[in-house]
Amino acid sequence: MKEYSTVKQLYMRAFPKYEREPWPWMMLKSHFKKADFMAFYERQCFVGFAYIIHSHGFHYILFLAVNDQLRSQGYGSRIIAELRKLYRKDSLVLDVEQPNPQARNNHQRLRRIAFYRRNGFYLTSKKIEESQMTYRVLATKKRINQQGVDRIFKWFAWPLGWFIQ
């Protein structure tokens, strides 16, 4: 893709270092049927990307970002609408930083949840605890297979993870 470096630079800017996965690892995993790295365009203008991991009955949006110069113009909602059309019968699942009144970016966390709720996502009871952050899982269906979410991350992290069903 001609915008390869543009996509990579957006990825580096849009996500803090502790949230990012190694770029070569993401590229490698996207060559398998369980993961897709998708770029979105409007009239040949790059507007954003999504990195999605597929499982039985749901599609986990691991990363979604809109081009910095085009934010707040509805492109995030349009990308989600396209993904919902593409995966019509299954649930889309993603995670966001859990709100925390002591966090400097708590207002941003709340706005992000509100954005996803406006776009048809529901808060689930699933949380992902990592060393630096706790994440809340949202999905376009009210119930999710929580063990399935765990399997997604095992597949992504494990070098031979494509054997995990």
Side-chain angles (χ1 to χ4, degrees):
M1 137 180 25
K2 64 181 180 177
E3 281 90 0
Y4 175 87
S5 63
T6 304
V7 173
K8 183 177 179 181
Q9 290 169 9
L10 175 58
Y11 172 69
M12 297 299 183
R13 286 191 311 274
F15 300 96
K17 186 173 182 162
Y18 65 86
E19 286 185 2
R20 291 190 303 243
E21 298 294 338
W23 185 259
W25 186 247
M26 289 177 42
M27 294 295 99
L28 174 69
K29 287 295 200 169
S30 70
H31 290 290
F32 297 93
K33 289 181 181 177
K34 279 194 165 193
D36 284 317
F37 206 145
M38 307 167 88
F40 295 88
Y41 297 84
E42 182 176 67
R43 293 189 202 100
Q44 300 177 347
C45 175
F46 170 67
V47 297
F49 73 84
Y51 191 94
I52 302 163
I53 303 173
H54 310 288
S55 187
H56 302 289
F58 68 94
H59 307 273
Y60 205 100
I61 303 171
L62 190 59
F63 296 103
L64 175 91
V66 172
N67 185 333
D68 313 73
Q69 289 89 33
L70 301 174
R71 289 195 182 135
S72 299
Q73 296 181 35
Y75 287 109
S77 294
R78 289 163 65 184
I79 289 171
I80 290 170
E82 285 299 314
L83 293 173
R84 291 191 76 169
K85 273 195 263 181
L86 186 61
Y87 306 116
R88 186 176 317 265
K89 60 185 175 190
D90 298 325
S91 184
L92 294 177
V93 180
L94 53 81
D95 60 71
V96 296
E97 295 171 309
Q98 179 165 304
N100 177 349
Q102 283 75 44
R104 286 191 327 233
N105 70 338
N106 193 53
H107 69 285
Q108 187 179 45
R109 295 176 187 199
L110 294 169
R111 285 183 55 214
R112 193 169 289 128
I113 289 172
F115 166 77
Y116 285 117
R117 293 193 69 174
R118 281 192 310 274
N119 284 281
F121 284 80
Y122 301 95
L123 283 170
T124 71
S125 60
K126 176 80 174 158
K127 292 181 184 177
I128 299 171
E129 305 276 342
E130 293 191 357
S131 61
Q132 295 191 36
M133 187 65 59
T134 299
Y135 298 91
R136 284 295 301 269
V137 175
L138 291 90
T140 55
K141 292 186 179 176
K142 291 183 180 181
R143 299 179 136 248
I144 62 167
N145 178 337
Q146 294 191 17
Q147 291 78 26
V149 170
D150 294 337
R151 281 194 305 270
I152 284 277
F153 287 107
K154 284 180 186 173
W155 173 83
F156 187 76
W158 193 42
L160 301 175
W162 50 86
F163 291 119
I164 295 177
Q165 297 299 317

